[in-house]
Amino acid sequence: MITIVDYDVGNLGSVKNMLKRIGADSIITSSRDEILAAEKIILPGVGKFDHCAEKLESSGLRDCLEKKALTDKIPFLAICVGMQLLTKGSEEGILPGLGWIDAETRKFRFEEDKYRSLKIPHMGWNKVVPEENNPLFEGFDSENTKFYFCHSFHVICNSPENVGAKTNYGYEFSSAIRKENIFGVQFHPEKSHRYGFQLFQNFVGM
């Protein structure tokens, strides 16, 4: 059973529908007991960083998530702003992130003139190049893998070992991050058709 965390933020229904398409059982819940019983967890997130951080803190679920991810070490997938919450914090706000991964969230800044015409947010399909030995991207073709993005802020990892995949938008940034059993993706796999389908299949198979 895959548990999708409901803290009043994120594309919960879209994620559940994609899991249903691949035949995976899932529940959307804000119950501490159900989260503590989870075999795998997905943490979605959309909107502003501080809004998501505040909602997560007020949900009272942080200690449950920390137990499952950091102590029990079950597979844990965070999506979009959910991935940004894994970092220490974001330039978008003042509240701290979970700090599970040594990384920070920064706004896109295009210093070179040739890139200043690029629009923010970074929205639409873009190429994703996975790092080697990342089980979340097992079976993907690194030359032809694309996912759907919608974000103005991106993650900077302080250690290369936490970079799970890279994407270029004016410059290279981490479009996926990882640490042991914890995975984050900046893009929306639930909106990425066959690529998202395969990524969720890989997560379910962990």
Side-chain angles (χ1 to χ4, degrees), residues 83 86-87 101 155 157 162-164 174-178 182-184:
M83 166 172 140
L86 299 178
T87 71
I101 293 180
V155 168
C157 293
N162 294 138
V163 178
S174 297
S175 51
I177 59 178
R178 64 169 299 189
I182 300 169
F183 301 87

Side-chain angles (χ1 to χ4, degrees), residues 64-81:
C64 297
L65 298 177
E66 288 182 340
K67 180 182 185 305
K68 299 303 291 185
L70 304 182
T71 303
D72 297 348
K73 293 188 178 300
I74 68 166
F76 191 104
L77 174 63
I79 298 172
C80 196
V81 181

Side-chain angles (χ1 to χ4, degrees), residues 9-180:
V9 170
N11 299 323
L12 307 178
S14 297
V15 173
K16 184 174 176 60
N17 286 339
M18 181 66 91
L19 292 170
K20 183 178 180 180
R21 284 185 59 201
I22 63 176
D25 292 329
S26 66
I27 57 169
I28 297 172
T29 184
S30 59
S31 163
R32 291 175 59 87
D33 289 342
E34 289 180 324
I35 290 171
L36 288 171
E39 299 172 350
K40 297 180 178 70
I41 288 177
I42 295 178
L43 180 72
V46 295
K48 294 184 179 298
F49 183 92
D50 272 10
H51 174 72
C52 292
E54 183 179 12
K55 286 288 189 179
L56 184 58
E57 193 65 33
S58 64
S59 73
L61 299 175
R62 178 169 179 164
D63 63 323
C64 297
L65 298 177
E66 288 182 340
K67 180 182 185 305
K68 299 303 291 185
L70 304 182
T71 303
D72 297 348
K73 293 188 178 300
I74 68 166
F76 191 104
L77 174 63
I79 298 172
C80 196
V81 181
M83 166 172 140
Q84 295 174 9
L85 288 175
L86 299 178
T87 71
K88 294 179 177 179
S90 173
E91 284 185 334
E92 190 177 18
I94 60 173
L95 296 178
L98 293 167
W100 296 353
I101 293 180
D102 185 13
E104 299 172 355
T105 304
R106 296 287 179 258
K107 188 173 183 177
F108 277 110
R109 290 185 176 88
F110 304 121
E111 303 295 339
E112 297 184 42
D113 289 341
K114 63 180 178 179
Y115 296 127
R116 287 178 182 168
S117 62
L118 291 175
K119 294 181 179 180
I120 300 175
H122 168 217
M123 183 180 294
W125 293 84
N126 204 346
K127 183 177 178 179
V128 172
V129 181
E131 294 293 292
E132 292 184 1
N133 301 318
N134 187 343
L136 197 61
F137 292 93
E138 185 176 352
F140 279 87
D141 176 2
S142 62
E143 294 300 318
N144 297 290
T145 296
K146 292 184 177 181
F147 285 90
Y148 184 83
F149 290 83
C150 183
H151 63 120
S152 301
F153 294 77
H154 64 87
V155 168
I156 298 175
C157 293
N158 293 319
S159 175
E161 69 182 14
N162 294 138
V163 178
K166 296 176 181 177
T167 295
N168 194 293
Y169 189 66
Y171 51 81
E172 194 172 73
F173 69 93
S174 297
S175 51
I177 59 178
R178 64 169 299 189
K179 182 180 180 182
E180 298 176 342

